[in-house]
Amino acid sequence: SCAPCIQVCQARTIKDDFVSVRYVGKVGEIVVDDRYATTPLVFQLGAFYLPGFDEALTKQCVKSTLRLTWQRAPSINWGPVPPPAGPLVYDVAIDRVVYDAFRDKMTEGSNNTKYFVPEPLTAFGSVDRRWYPNDRSTEPPGQTILEFFELSI
């Protein structure tokens, strides 16, 4: 046991990093998104579909676990299902920064479908092991207030 342990952050995420994360989204105890609970999602910060998600992960320690909470479901395209009712909570584990993805985007462009998904990341898409680049020219508008806190490092 380590009473007053100090843990050192070996690496922090920065804007435009490609990050590998695993997450589960819930409303209360009901799971609404567990597509990437075990299979990691690799995306470039700025490409996630929920407002505030990218900002919450920026400057966080790799290997951190975060809990992100929206008091109400953001106004986005939820696909064939209705928007979640009630507070939306995502538990997110930041596994690593994927430097190869950034290198490949710079050298080959994000239109190379061998490595990159050509469609944007959405709330209802299927699991894809390729990387999601941030090709948006502007960030999506903040539609809700995001409260987040670190669960563990």
Side-chain angles (χ1 to χ4, degrees):
S1 175
C2 178
C5 288
I6 297 176
Q7 296 185 352
V8 178
C9 181
Q10 297 294 325
R12 290 190 183 274
T13 61
I14 60 173
K15 184 178 184 288
D16 293 327
D17 271 351
F18 279 85
V19 292
S20 174
V21 300
R22 290 170 291 111
Y23 67 79
V24 174
K26 293 182 179 181
V27 173
E29 294 301 313
I30 300 170
V31 174
V32 294
D33 188 357
D34 64 352
R35 294 171 293 164
Y36 293 99
T38 56
T39 300
L41 165 66
V42 177
F43 72 99
Q44 190 172 18
L45 290 175
F48 206 81
Y49 58 88
L50 289 173
F53 193 99
D54 302 287
E55 294 83 356
L57 270 61
T58 302
K59 298 184 181 175
Q60 295 296 327
C61 288
V62 172
K63 300 298 182 191
S64 291
T65 303
L66 308 172
R67 173 165 283 174
L68 311 178
T69 303
W70 291 260
Q71 294 307 313
R72 58 183 166 77
S75 300
I76 64 166
N77 181 359
W78 290 96
V81 297
L88 181 63
V89 177
Y90 272 64
D91 290 322
V92 184
I94 304 172
D95 293 334
R96 65 190 182 101
V97 174
V98 183
Y99 297 105
D100 292 353
F102 190 77
R103 180 201 66 214
D104 289 344
K105 182 178 180 184
M106 294 297 102
T107 59
E108 300 190 31
S110 59
N111 58 354
N112 181 338
T113 58
K114 177 180 177 186
Y115 300 112
F116 298 101
V117 181
E119 299 84 28
L121 184 58
T122 65
F124 53 89
S126 59
V127 172
D128 198 318
R129 293 180 183 268
R130 294 176 294 171
W131 306 325
Y132 285 90
N134 179 15
D135 288 332
R136 294 188 282 222
S137 57
T138 60
E139 295 294 317
Q143 297 168 333
T144 61
I145 294 175
L146 172 68
E147 298 170 3
F148 66 94
F149 58 92
E150 206 159 303
L151 296 176
S152 63
I153 297 178

